[in-house]
Amino acid sequence: MDLFKKLITVLSSDQVTVNPTILEHHSKDESHFSAHLPDVVVFPQSAADVQKIVTFASEHQVPVVPFGAGSGLEGHAIPVQGGISIDFERMNQIIELRPEDLIVKVQPGITRMQLNQELKKHGLFFPVDPGADASIGGMASTNASGTQAVRYGVMRDQILDLEVVLADGRVIHTGSLAKKSSSGYHLNGLFVGSEGTLGVFTEITLKLHGIPESIVAARACFPSVKDCVETAVSILTAGIPIARMELVDARSIMQVNQYSGTDFYEVPSLFLEFHGNEEGNTADALFVEAICSEHNCTEFIFEKDSLKRAQLWKARHDLSYSFRHADPKKEIIGTDVCVPISKLADIVEYARERIHFYGLDGAVLGHIGDGNFHTLVVYDPENAEDVQKITDLNGEIVDFAFTLGGSCTGEHGVGMGKMKYQRQEHGEALDVMISMKQLFDPKNILNPGKLIPMKQESALTRE
Ligand SMILES: Cc1cc2nc3c(=O)[nH]c(=O)nc-3n(C[C@H](O)[C@H](O)[C@H](O)COP(=O)(O)OP(=O)(O)OC[C@H]3O[C@@H](n4cnc5c(N)ncnc54)[C@H](O)[C@@H]3O)c2cc1C
């Protein structure tokens, strides 16, 4: 079937393309998984357009894969069975901003930075900040988080309502404008994190937050990663409302100094931030400084200047890119497990020991306040031994996280990479998830080959 010819009868011709460069752009994301071309890319401008695309796909049993900014790290947006890639770049508007209700309704293609640029004018901000400038649709779809989740929560905590086009073309709302509700099943919770496998989002209503009157950042340096982790646990258990608490090991800081031109001490560190009023922040920061000294802190440096603070967090957000761009022949792979915070020191030590065991070059960093950390490991994709080592390392860290009661992914999602761990993590609950997928998407057209290992995967028919 010539999808292009058929789709231009459903949409206008400038909304459908088979341009090779555009197909190539939609064949991959930021993960290490192999690219796969879609047959066609479409650019909807409204929910009605999305409804037409999904209805068409359902009638013709063609896979549809939503595409946000393509920054996913587990191959989520790769159209592994071809079909239609839906790009949301033309649906990137704020639909309604209600500052007095701390609510904004947006189209899914808006990116987090675009949104925050607009919100700033109203003294508001949206706190979820993955390292990339991801789209709100993609972030909702992967239940993304970032450096501020320790204080404000993850995407699932911010979403009041989603407008979703279902596989059969029906359009539903999963919530309301109310800040809380005890009505019905929690469909927001189900659709957030569904990675495009249950429905396509066309409108997202988010909770907002006021920009704090005072923001103070600090860097605390330690002799070991273990000291950092133990400090983080003490800060949390002391009940201090920390807004950001990031672990960055010596290897990471070395890389960031090279990439970002910073001159941070190249030792294991915590990057910290406090949100509130000046008096409260000063008291909290001093309390934290005292806790740090009890854990062998060697330096505690305040970053009160807003430019220095911005530089600190930009350097942190650019960390992944700093490794990626260091050597074009090498790739990096990141692990993303999450464990109860009391077990964090154990697994961080374990991860460092395994990286050393395999003789790999790798860093340990992460959103330590949530029990979520990453390793970033450099490897040569052409070297079979290297590939085997990073595969084994990833599996070992996931297995260890399970033994500690943790999850195989804290924020990057399942996509293709973590599908093989779903049975181990969820047991019989995975069968319930498979039943849900069959209920919402009986023809398995919505982002097939991701998140849920479906038995009939290969049976998807194409005309
Ligand atoms: C340098 C770097 C740092 C990162 N740091 C973090 C981090 O700290 N925390 C974190 O959580 N992630 C992080 N990520 C991963 C990534 O940014 C997130 O997974 C993000 O949520 C993906 O958003 P996206 O717009 O790029 O989506 P895409 O990659 O385009 O798509 C992701 C998934 O969302 C689906 N999707 C997109 N739009 C819709 C829609 N409208 N309806 C339904 N489904 C849709 C896609 O089908 C796909 O399954 C990082 C990535 C990079 C490259």
Side-chain angles (χ1 to χ4, degrees), residues 322-434:
S322 74
F323 277 97
R324 278 156 199 267
H325 294 176
D327 181 347
K329 290 201 202 93
K330 298 277 175 73
E331 284 191 11
I332 60 152
I333 187 161
T335 59
D336 170 42
V337 299
C338 193
V339 297
I341 52 165
S342 68
K343 305 292 180 198
L344 201 55
D346 297 347
I347 193 161
V348 166
E349 280 295 296
Y350 177 78
R352 287 173 58 79
E353 185 272 307
R354 296 315 290 165
I355 293 172
H356 182 71
F357 170 84
Y358 285 115
L360 292 163
D361 176 19
V364 176
L365 62 143
H367 316 305
I368 196 168
D370 303 317
N372 180 202
F373 81 99
H374 308 300
T375 57
L376 288 179
V377 184
V378 184
Y379 75 103
D380 177 358
E382 305 297 326
N383 179 331
E385 200 187 331
D386 254 25
V387 174
Q388 189 58 49
K389 282 180 184 175
I390 52 112
T391 310
D392 291 348
L393 174 76
N394 200 0
E396 284 170 2
I397 293 175
V398 170
D399 282 343
F400 197 65
F402 288 152
T403 66
L404 301 175
S407 171
C408 67
T409 167
E411 57 179 16
H412 295 165
V414 175
M416 294 154 75
K418 296 285 169 66
M419 226 162 42
K420 57 179 178 272
Y421 305 116
Q422 292 303 290
R423 176 63 69 188
Q424 204 180 341
E425 177 158 350
H426 300 294
E428 281 191 38
L430 180 63
D431 298 322
V432 177
M433 293 187 207
I434 292 172

Side-chain angles (χ1 to χ4, degrees), residues 71-330:
S71 71
L73 295 173
E74 294 291 353
H76 302 89
I78 301 176
V80 286
Q81 296 183 12
I84 306 168
S85 175
I86 310 182
D87 187 313
F88 284 93
E89 73 174 29
R90 295 187 198 168
M91 287 179 72
N92 67 350
Q93 297 301 306
I94 292 181
I95 300 167
E96 187 185 6
L97 174 58
R98 298 165 66 123
E100 66 289 358
D101 287 322
L102 295 166
I103 288 176
V104 69
K105 196 181 282 186
V106 299
Q107 291 186 310
I110 193 167
T111 70
R112 66 175 184 87
M113 288 187 194
Q114 270 178 296
L115 176 61
N116 271 320
Q117 200 61 33
E118 195 54 37
L119 295 177
K120 209 163 132 185
K121 299 174 194 162
H122 303 268
L124 300 171
F125 80 111
F126 182 68
V128 183
D129 63 339
D133 188 19
S135 72
I136 296 295
M139 288 163 61
S141 186
T142 59
N143 190 28
S145 51
T147 64
Q148 303 190 102
V150 63
R151 168 77 174 265
Y152 299 97
V154 302
M155 278 307 276
R156 202 169 260 135
D157 303 310
Q158 319 296 329
I159 290 181
L160 292 173
D161 181 40
L162 292 165
E163 182 181 81
V164 186
V165 176
L166 299 178
D168 59 10
R170 276 181 298 165
V171 179
I172 61 162
H173 279 260
T174 59
S176 69
L177 298 184
K179 193 159 182 192
K180 60 181 201 174
S181 166
S182 296
S183 174
Y185 293 136
H186 196 340
L187 292 183
N188 279 344
L190 175 63
F191 278 90
V192 176
S194 61
E195 302 185 356
T197 65
L198 295 182
V200 183
F201 310 153
T202 46
E203 206 177 278
I204 302 170
T205 305
L206 302 165
K207 289 183 201 166
L208 300 175
H209 302 263
I211 296 175
E213 178 198 309
S214 154
I215 302 178
V216 175
R219 277 182 293 128
C221 305
F222 295 86
S224 74
V225 167
K226 194 160 186 277
D227 288 318
C228 292
V229 178
E230 285 170 357
T231 307
V233 174
S234 297
I235 291 171
L236 290 172
T237 49
I240 299 163
I242 195 94
R244 282 171 154 160
M245 184 156 59
E246 294 289 303
L247 165 72
V248 206
D249 76 351
R251 177 68 186 86
S252 308
I253 297 198
M254 194 198 299
Q255 197 69 31
V256 102
N257 280 345
Q258 274 172 25
Y259 181 80
S260 306
T262 44
D263 58 357
F264 303 143
Y265 296 126
E266 293 177 359
V267 292
S269 304
L270 288 179
F271 288 3
L272 304 155
E273 195 165 271
F274 305 87
H275 292 180
N277 59 39
E278 207 166 330
E279 213 176 317
N281 279 347
T282 307
D284 284 344
L286 290 174
F287 189 12
V288 165
E289 188 177 11
I291 294 174
C292 288
S293 3
E294 282 170 21
H295 291 280
N296 311 318
C297 177
T298 51
E299 303 266 358
F300 193 90
I301 306 123
F302 284 101
E303 305 282 18
K304 284 193 178 155
D305 176 75
S306 63
L307 281 177
K308 281 265 184 201
R309 189 161 40 80
Q311 186 192 35
L312 177 78
W313 293 113
K314 178 154 183 0
R316 166 63 190 90
H317 275 132
D318 286 348
L319 231 167
S320 176
Y321 289 118
S322 74
F323 277 97
R324 278 156 199 267
H325 294 176
D327 181 347
K329 290 201 202 93
K330 298 277 175 73

